Amino acid sequence: MDTCRVPAWVFLVLVWQGGCLASQFPTQLMIKEWVDQMQKELVTLADTATGGMSLTQIFLRNQHLYSVEQNDAEELVARAARNIEQLLRKRSAALKKLAAAAEQFQVDHTWKDEFEDDEISYYNSKDNLDANETEGKKYRLRPDFKEDASFRRLTDHNHTAVHIPTDIYDGSTIVLNELNWTEALEDVFRKNREDDPTLLWQVFGSATGLARYFPASPWMDARKTPSKIDLYDVRRRPWYIQGAASPKDMLILVDASGSVSGLTLKLIRTSVSEMLETLSDDDYVNVVYFNTRVKKTACFDHLVQANVRNKKLLKDAVQNITAKGITNYTKGFEFAFEQLSVKNVSRANCNKIIMLFTDGGEERAQAILEKYNADKKVRIFTFSVGQHNYDKGPIQWMACSNKGYFYEIPSIGAIRINTQEYLDVLGRPMVLADKQAKQIQWTNVYLDALELGLVITGTLPVFNRTMTVDERHGEHQNQLILGVMGIDVSLDDIKKLTPRFTIGPNGYYFAIDPNGYVLLHPNLQPKKRIGNRKLRLNDKYAVTFHEEPVTLDLLDAELENDIKVEIRKMMIDGEIGERTIDTLVKTQDERYIDRGIRTYTWAPVNGTDYSLALALPKYSEHFIQAKLGEDMKEAMSMETMQLDRFDEFGHTYIAPREYCKELKLSLNNTQFLLDFNQFIERTPPEACNVSLVSRLILDAGLTAELVQLWNEQSVDGIVARFVATDGGITRVYPRSAAEEWSENHETYESSFYKRTLDNEIYIFTAPAFNTEGREPVSEPCILVSKAVDLTIDKVTLKPAVVGVKLNISFWMNSFMNATLKLNCKDEICGCLKNDKHVDCVILDDGGFLLMSNQDEYISLIGQFFGEVDPVLMINLVNTSLYSFNKTYDYQSVCDPEKDSKAAAGPRSVYVPTIADLLSVGWWASTAAWSILQQLIYGLIFPNLLEAVESAEEEISDAMFKESCITEQTQYFFDNDERSYSGVLDCGNCSRMYRGEKLPNTNLVFLITDAKATCLSCDPRPLRQAEQPSEGPDPCELAQNPRYRKGPDACFDNNENDEPLCPISRGSALSSAPPVLFLLLSSGLVSVGASPLILP
């Protein structure tokens, strides 16, 4: 390092009394003196300007206006758990009524092959809202829709709506019969709603794919999307999958012999991807492929939880399967049975299944099946994929002799239907178990398809109670599941049962399910997928998408540590407990990490698998309860909150809370304050939340006294002063400074406010860096804040935060002047403006730039220093000035990958039943004409069908986002050391630096040889902001899965569960009319196994 310099003094030349030809780097002692001087000036300025101690005294003088109450965490959790239990019990009672009624309605129903026009009437939720949409369509009616605040959309409580999947023909005999008997559910839905006006969506999801829901509401507003391709199928929704069968251990076995190539291999890949989508987080799965050997598709050595990440990995891996060699079913089945028998790994321990996808073959693998599956405890489902002439008998025998089912998938149109109908088979043991299986289950959190937001759903299976007769068994109980009944509960309704405004901004409730996923947590905030619900294609088509389940683990919602792992396990196990821990806490804006003390208290929610907890910081173990009375109302007189008093009391914001039922929230806070003032003046207290209103008025009066003190003093270098409170008051003084105030008006959601409460020092917060390159409207300011400590009867509270906004230019001059040393010799004598030899900076504890002696850095204030001077920042981490913590966000959205088309979901058209094909009447029906019509369209307008088939391929190139993982690294101070120094060795040059933390602040001062003096180091920036990521290695996670607990009951085998040996419809095609072969060969019609829901 060159230690001989001639400084460029600029504006400080007049105060320079001597120079030095040889400038020595400042000693650590000198830097400490500079820092102590800076700290003294800053803290003195902040103490004087904020008046924090004065506000403490104001609170103490007015103790007669409030009381200090205790937050009894154990009682709060127990009460909230009881309230949630009562809410869900009411929903469960309604659910039982619906399921019982549905079973009786189906028993009473008489099957018909044909219906008169007046026998069926229903609202098809996909009908256009225009009045003429139902003209010319049989059986249709049009509800009278009105805007509904509860559902946030158009509804009609006099009718139900019916959704029928795109690939199901709505005029088929099965669908018409189901429409007929489910119509009676309308009265039960309505009666439930009358008994409980808070009920939300009530839905019956049928095993045929039909969904009838109440109240009636359009699936989409067709006036906005005239043509649409709807991919929704109720049987693929998380709540239906969970309610239709017990959890599954599934091994998917893929034939990868040489004969499986070309189109057949593509069909298998897509079929496996669709099969994976029928699994939920309670299921376990693995995918392997075989020819003469067995190979894993992904890195998983055993079955893994069928969560979103594992399924994605498997779907991606399936695309890499190549076909060669010959088929050896014995090898494949042997490996499959071994996988299903492994006991020392986490698994569902229920419904052991092998799914075989093949093009057929002559081998039955009878010996290996008899060896491993003599007791038929493993069901085998086989799928003959592709159009070929191979004998299907052997693989059909494999399924029929092992309590499974055989399906054919000749074309892409048959995939969706045939990969989900196995659920009907798995439902048979539930039907036979009868009352034992009539257990209400509550789902994970997911996004409601009808835009209600985050919900959980209570589910109850609906059984076919009719008797059936056959030659083998005579008259016996039908073994088929009719579908699943569901009732939604909005998370917003559950949150209302967990009081928020008495536990402080950093206190919070959370709840988890047996998988450890949160259903309540302040960090459960899945980002809105822009354009993900409706995507326009060429201005003609719109594709609707429905997001993946929201599966955020507690250990991903918070910063994980060993004690939280233990707490999570105890909660899953339904225990009651309490622990106080020292933990890292990520700030609301995700830029910083603080260390805080939290007490976790938890208890189970009886009647469910959920567990509820409350996390409280020490300073929130008590709260202030205002005493609202006429004396206080008159004393405060509400005048301090009047708009015409802003000059005197500062611009006043109030938190947008539900103070009164009839008081509407407004996005304009000034308007909301005006409405609040007028409402309170004319409304009796009992019409409002007395506790919220009282605290707001109390804080308004107390903070007004503080502002009056500010009026009496002026402080240089201060752009604004402010005070914010738990009660929801924020005052910014002077009034003009409010034009630049951009902090959240809700203090419970304000990042700087919540962060300040967790610290005992002054917190300096850099402005958010402008990454878009726009010119700032005004010079940025540094926000400085400190919590107000209040001790009453040995109880410590933090009811407010006070602070200032510093003028950067003023602080910059003060900063540089504090480093000056006159008459110095043989050393650098200070941080001069734009010094060519030294860079002086002040960073906060997150590594963000707050101040510099270089003008070029001033425009970078607020930027992460790893992007400004990466070499220095890396060294600061290596010397432990900064610690760091990498976190993953599983709720992010990103642009889709270009090669993600392989997992696209196929579409198909109506699949006629075998009875239809053999019925002469069918050929004159609407169904036949529909298929012929599609064939004609395909011949005349091939581009139209190509657009439909390739819609999902176009999606990847369009504007919508897809869920993804991002990673972010937060930096923080994690030790008490004050002084740091080092040398940045860049090979042919080096840079010296020294650093010193400013006591009682979150700042560190650094002086270093200027970056421009040594540019040979690697300049790659160090990123702090969110970046797309692959996330943690799923293979490693699979080896050490997190603790979870599956459902207690398992219904997978029953001695009366009769084997299914149907003949595939494909085998009946030899006698089908010749015209059907034309339709089938065109690929427009797919033929597969028959639906299992029959009378």
Side-chain angles (χ1 to χ4, degrees):
M1 180 185 70
D2 182 9
T3 59
C4 186
R5 308 186 177 87
V6 178
W9 291 112
V10 196
F11 73 99
L12 294 173
V13 68
L14 295 178
V15 299
W16 176 249
Q17 298 296 319
C20 64
L21 295 177
S23 298
Q24 185 176 347
F25 209 77
T27 65
Q28 198 73 48
L29 180 61
M30 177 179 291
I31 292 173
K32 186 176 183 301
E33 291 176 358
W34 293 351
V35 165
D36 287 343
Q37 180 63 27
M38 287 184 224
Q39 186 266 344
K40 181 180 178 181
E41 293 179 2
L42 284 172
V43 171
T44 300
L45 176 67
D47 282 342
T48 302
T50 61
M53 293 297 295
S54 298
L55 184 56
T56 298
Q57 295 303 314
I58 292 171
F59 267 97
L60 292 174
R61 284 200 307 269
N62 290 280
Q63 287 188 55
H64 62 286
L65 296 176
Y66 62 87
S67 60
V68 176
E69 306 294 335
Q70 181 183 6
N71 275 320
D72 185 334
E74 186 175 340
E75 172 57 28
L76 287 173
V77 170
R79 185 188 310 143
R82 285 195 302 271
N83 291 338
I84 295 173
E85 177 191 354
Q86 291 170 6
L87 171 67
L88 300 186
R89 188 188 297 129
K90 289 175 65 177
R91 299 294 188 269
S92 297
L95 200 54
K96 292 176 181 177
K97 292 178 186 176
L98 284 168
E103 291 172 351
Q104 188 59 49
F105 293 151
Q106 199 270 342
V107 169
D108 296 340
H109 171 69
T110 301
W111 180 270
K112 289 187 177 183
D113 292 326
E114 295 182 357
F115 288 89
E116 299 296 330
D117 290 354
D118 60 352
E119 288 186 274
I120 298 175
S121 63
Y122 73 100
Y123 165 62
N124 188 317
S125 62
K126 291 187 280 187
D127 280 349
N128 196 309
L129 290 177
D130 291 337
N132 63 355
E133 174 66 19
T134 57
E135 291 182 7
K137 294 187 178 181
K138 296 175 69 175
Y139 315 126
R140 301 293 178 84
L141 59 80
R142 174 182 168 79
D144 181 18
F145 292 119
K146 296 179 180 178
E147 287 292 341
D148 190 325
S150 299
F151 292 86
R152 306 168 194 167
R153 59 184 7 248
L154 294 172
T155 65
D156 181 352
H157 290 260
N158 293 316
H159 296 93
T160 56
V162 173
H163 178 279
I164 301 173
T166 303
D167 50 5
I168 300 288
Y169 172 52
D170 60 7
S172 70
T173 305
I174 291 177
V175 170
L176 291 177
N177 275 273
E178 198 146 89
L179 286 170
N180 185 254
W181 73 259
T182 59
E183 184 178 356
L185 287 172
E186 194 167 285
D187 292 335
V188 188
F189 284 141
R190 191 182 299 110
K191 182 65 167 60
N192 277 343
R193 175 75 179 184
E194 291 171 357
D195 293 342
D196 182 2
T198 64
L199 269 182
L200 297 175
W201 298 120
Q202 303 175 69
V203 190
F204 172 61
S206 166
T208 63
L210 178 148
R212 187 182 284 273
Y213 59 90
F214 178 88
S217 185
W219 195 249
M220 289 199 317
D221 191 339
R223 294 169 298 184
K224 300 176 183 177
T225 51
S227 299
K228 51 188 177 291
I229 303 168
D230 176 29
L231 302 182
Y232 180 90
D233 189 318
V234 69
R235 295 168 293 184
R236 291 176 176 265
R237 294 300 285 163
W239 63 272
Y240 185 94
I241 293 172
Q242 181 169 317
S246 292
K248 302 171 281 295
D249 284 319
M250 179 185 291
L251 193 286
I252 299 177
L253 196 58
V254 176
D255 179 0
S257 60
S259 61
V260 179
S261 59
L263 178 60
T264 299
L265 182 57
K266 291 181 180 179
L267 289 173
I268 288 179
R269 289 170 176 165
T270 305
S271 298
V272 172
S273 294
E274 285 296 310
M275 179 65 72
L276 289 169
E277 285 305 307
T278 68
L279 302 177
S280 71
D281 291 88
D282 287 334
D283 302 320
Y284 280 72
V285 67
N286 200 1
V287 182
V288 300
Y289 64 100
F290 71 99
N291 35 52
T292 55
R293 298 167 55 193
V294 182
K295 298 180 181 179
K296 299 176 293 185
T297 56
C299 56
F300 302 135
D301 294 323
H302 49 75
L303 300 186
V304 295
Q305 187 181 17
N307 58 38
V308 172
R309 294 191 289 281
N310 288 340
K311 288 192 292 187
K312 183 180 186 303
L313 187 67
L314 287 169
K315 284 191 284 188
D316 291 343
V318 165
Q319 306 310 313
N320 298 322
I321 294 178
T322 56
K324 61 182 179 180
I326 61 174
T327 305
N328 188 330
Y329 287 124
T330 299
K331 286 282 188 183
F333 277 116
E334 187 173 36
F335 184 88
F337 283 115
E338 288 173 357
Q339 286 261 304
L340 291 172
S341 64
V342 175
K343 296 186 181 300
N344 60 345
V345 296
S346 180
R347 50 189 292 175
N349 292 313
C350 191
N351 275 318
K352 294 181 181 180
I353 306 168
I354 295 174
M355 296 288 185
L356 172 63
F357 289 88
T358 179
D359 60 347
E362 298 180 359
E363 183 185 356
R364 285 193 173 192
Q366 186 168 350
I368 200 74
L369 294 178
E370 290 177 351
K371 176 182 177 181
Y372 285 97
N373 202 35
D375 58 1
K376 313 299 182 189
K377 290 294 180 66
V378 177
R379 293 184 188 269
I380 297 177
F381 296 84
T382 56
F383 298 81
S384 174
V385 184
Q387 298 183 8
H388 46 72
N389 295 319
Y390 300 135
D391 182 11
K392 303 178 181 64
I395 60 172
Q396 187 173 11
W397 176 88
M398 293 175 189
C400 293
S401 62
N402 289 275
K403 302 180 77 170
Y405 208 72
F406 167 70
Y407 303 89
E408 287 190 71
I409 302 178
S411 64
I412 194 170
I415 293 177
R416 279 178 69 88
I417 289 179
N418 291 334
T419 54
Q420 65 193 18
E421 286 201 344
Y422 77 94
L423 289 172
D424 297 332
V425 179
L426 300 188
R428 297 167 71 91
M430 294 176 63
V431 178
L432 292 171
D434 199 13
K435 293 181 180 179
Q436 288 181 314
K438 281 288 186 177
Q439 299 180 1
I440 292 176
Q441 298 185 69
W442 291 96
T443 67
N444 302 331
V445 176
Y446 68 95
L447 282 163
D448 174 54
L450 289 174
E451 302 168 346
L452 197 59
L454 291 176
V455 299
I456 58 173
T457 298
T459 66
L460 195 60
V462 179
F463 300 151
N464 189 329
R465 299 293 189 184
T466 60
M467 303 301 289
T468 186
V469 179
D470 60 44
E471 295 180 0
R472 182 178 178 184
H473 299 96
E475 186 177 68
H476 62 282
Q477 169 66 49
N478 196 306
Q479 298 186 9
L480 301 178
I481 185 171
L482 290 174
V484 177
M485 198 67 73
I487 287 185
D488 286 349
V489 176
S490 168
L491 287 197
D492 288 340
D493 289 340
I494 297 179
K495 287 178 183 178
K496 292 175 183 177
L497 304 177
T498 55
R500 182 185 188 194
F501 295 111
T502 59
I503 59 175
N506 287 324
Y508 59 92
Y509 287 89
F510 67 91
I512 65 173
D513 66 18
N515 281 304
Y517 300 147
V518 297
L519 64 142
L520 280 183
H521 198 285
N523 293 334
L524 178 63
Q525 298 173 339
K527 299 175 177 63
K528 184 176 180 63
R529 287 150 169 75
I530 301 173
N532 211 22
R533 287 196 171 275
K534 42 189 182 179
L535 168 68
R536 299 190 67 82
L537 300 176
N538 303 324
D539 294 324
K540 293 182 179 180
Y541 295 96
V543 182
T544 62
F545 297 87
H546 302 282
E547 296 84 345
E548 297 155 344
V550 182
T551 51
L552 178 65
D553 197 284
L554 173 63
L555 301 180
D556 297 321
E558 303 193 359
L559 299 182
E560 180 179 349
N561 62 35
D562 291 341
I563 301 179
K564 289 182 183 179
V565 173
E566 295 175 14
I567 291 173
R568 177 182 175 276
K569 182 179 185 299
M570 288 186 281
M571 291 181 68
I572 290 174
D573 288 338
E575 298 178 18
I576 297 174
E578 184 173 275
R579 293 284 292 272
T580 299
I581 65 173
D582 186 332
T583 181
L584 296 178
V585 180
K586 191 190 298 186
T587 59
Q588 180 98 2
D589 60 8
E590 300 186 336
R591 293 203 297 169
Y592 300 96
I593 283 180
D594 292 304
R595 188 170 291 280
I597 305 295
R598 297 288 188 270
T599 297
Y600 286 76
T601 307
W602 63 90
V605 179
N606 294 328
T608 74
D609 291 327
Y610 301 139
S611 182
L612 180 70
L614 173 62
L616 275 181
K618 181 72 175 177
Y619 52 82
S620 291
E621 292 178 357
H622 294 80
F623 66 97
I624 288 177
Q625 180 71 60
K627 301 174 183 177
L628 179 61
E630 288 303 318
D631 56 335
M632 188 186 83
K633 199 169 182 180
E634 290 176 5
M636 305 304 177
S637 68
M638 301 289 291
E639 291 183 6
T640 65
M641 297 169 62
Q642 301 300 321
L643 273 62
D644 58 4
R645 305 294 294 276
F646 279 6
D647 287 331
E648 181 181 356
F649 296 108
H651 191 109
T652 303
Y653 301 95
I654 63 172
R657 301 174 184 173
E658 293 184 7
Y659 299 102
C660 308
K661 291 182 180 179
E662 302 300 323
L663 178 62
K664 293 183 179 180
L665 297 178
S666 172
L667 295 176
N668 185 317
N669 198 268
T670 302
Q671 182 62 50
F672 183 52
L673 176 60
L674 183 62
D675 294 342
F676 174 85
N677 288 333
Q678 294 175 349
F679 193 87
I680 294 299
E681 288 293 339
R682 66 173 188 266
T683 305
E686 57 269 16
C688 298
N689 185 322
V690 175
S691 178
L692 280 185
V693 174
S694 300
R695 181 66 194 276
L696 183 73
I697 296 176
L698 171 69
D699 286 0
L702 300 181
T703 55
E705 287 191 43
L706 177 65
V707 177
Q708 287 180 324
L709 294 177
W710 292 345
N711 270 322
E712 298 170 2
Q713 61 177 199
S714 61
V715 183
D716 293 334
I718 300 299
V719 174
R721 290 184 260 196
F722 61 87
V723 57
T725 73
D726 283 4
I729 286 287
T730 300
R731 294 191 188 273
V732 180
Y733 183 85
R735 175 180 187 168
S736 57
E739 296 176 4
E740 300 296 328
W741 185 259
S742 59
E743 305 302 326
N744 198 321
H745 306 147
E746 174 52 83
T747 52
Y748 273 57
E749 300 292 338
S750 172
S751 187
F752 93 86
Y753 187 90
K754 297 173 69 172
R755 182 172 193 227
T756 304
L757 294 177
D758 266 334
N759 290 275
E760 303 298 328
I761 58 178
Y762 275 103
I763 296 297
F764 288 69
T765 303
F769 182 67
N770 180 5
T771 58
E772 298 180 3
R774 296 193 304 266
E775 288 295 324
V777 177
S778 60
E779 185 179 73
C781 298
I782 303 298
L783 189 147
V784 186
S785 56
K786 192 174 190 298
V788 173
D789 291 321
L790 180 63
T791 302
I792 299 175
D793 297 331
K794 298 182 180 180
V795 171
T796 299
L797 305 101
K798 294 185 177 183
V801 166
V802 293
V804 297
K805 277 195 170 185
L806 291 178
N807 178 284
I808 284 186
S809 298
F810 181 90
W811 189 28
M812 182 175 174
N813 291 332
S814 175
F815 154 69
M816 289 187 292
N817 287 334
T819 66
L820 289 182
K821 180 179 179 183
L822 302 182
N823 299 317
C824 64
K825 297 181 180 180
D826 300 327
E827 60 188 359
I828 294 173
C829 302
C831 292
L832 304 181
K833 187 173 183 180
N834 295 323
D835 193 316
K836 296 180 180 179
H837 302 288
V838 293
D839 291 339
C840 297
V841 296
I842 290 181
L843 309 180
D844 67 13
D845 56 331
F848 295 95
L849 179 65
L850 267 72
M851 186 56 61
S852 173
N853 66 327
Q854 304 293 343
D855 279 345
E856 63 179 294
Y857 283 4
I858 297 304
S859 63
L860 302 179
I861 285 178
Q863 187 170 26
F864 179 62
F865 196 60
E867 299 183 61
V868 177
D869 194 338
V871 180
L872 178 54
M873 188 65 197
I874 291 171
N875 202 274
L876 297 179
V877 174
N878 292 338
T879 56
S880 298
L881 194 162
Y882 284 100
S883 295
F884 68 92
N885 189 85
K886 180 182 290 186
T887 57
Y888 295 99
D889 185 352
Y890 299 98
Q891 304 176 89
S892 296
V893 289
C894 306
D895 293 323
E897 297 179 7
K898 293 295 182 182
D899 59 351
S900 62
K901 302 172 184 176
R907 304 166 192 80
S908 66
V909 296
Y910 165 58
V911 182
T913 65
I914 190 68
D916 291 335
L917 300 180
L918 300 178
S919 168
V920 176
W922 179 82
W923 290 97
S925 70
T926 308
W929 169 243
S930 176
I931 295 176
L932 287 170
Q933 190 179 45
Q934 292 178 65
L935 174 62
I936 295 169
Y937 281 179
L939 296 173
I940 301 176
F941 306 112
N943 293 335
L944 173 63
L945 290 178
E946 285 179 17
V948 174
E949 284 296 336
S950 65
E952 291 184 4
E953 295 184 4
E954 294 184 42
I955 291 163
S956 294
D957 299 324
M959 65 206 178
F960 82 97
K961 306 281 187 179
E962 66 180 12
S963 62
C964 65
I965 302 173
T966 56
E967 68 178 47
Q968 185 175 20
T969 304
Q970 284 92 2
Y971 296 81
F972 60 100
F973 296 159
D974 199 32
N975 61 61
D976 297 327
E977 292 291 324
R978 279 193 58 185
S979 303
Y980 297 85
S981 62
V983 176
L984 311 179
D985 187 359
C986 296
N988 60 354
C989 64
S990 61
R991 296 167 59 197
M992 178 179 287
Y993 75 88
R994 297 191 191 281
E996 188 80 16
K997 291 180 183 176
L998 278 68
N1000 299 315
T1001 73
N1002 64 322
L1003 305 177
V1004 61
F1005 167 78
L1006 297 168
I1007 182 170
T1008 176
D1009 289 313
K1011 185 170 69 171
T1013 64
C1014 183
L1015 299 175
S1016 60
C1017 282
D1018 189 351
R1020 288 180 298 180
L1022 186 66
R1023 303 289 185 187
Q1024 187 274 339
E1026 277 191 331
Q1027 304 291 322
S1029 171
E1030 293 296 322
D1033 187 348
C1035 306
E1036 293 182 8
L1037 294 179
Q1039 294 299 323
N1040 300 285
R1042 288 169 172 166
Y1043 180 76
R1044 67 176 294 276
K1045 187 176 180 181
D1048 295 329
C1050 170
F1051 303 97
D1052 58 354
N1053 279 289
N1054 189 293
E1055 60 183 12
N1056 296 318
D1057 181 6
E1058 59 193 50
L1060 296 168
C1061 283
I1063 302 299
S1064 168
R1065 285 177 185 161
S1067 63
L1069 294 179
S1070 57
S1071 60
V1075 68
L1076 183 59
F1077 280 106
L1078 175 63
L1079 296 172
L1080 293 172
S1081 63
S1082 72
L1084 289 173
V1085 179
S1086 56
V1087 177
S1090 62
L1092 294 177
I1093 304 302
L1094 295 172

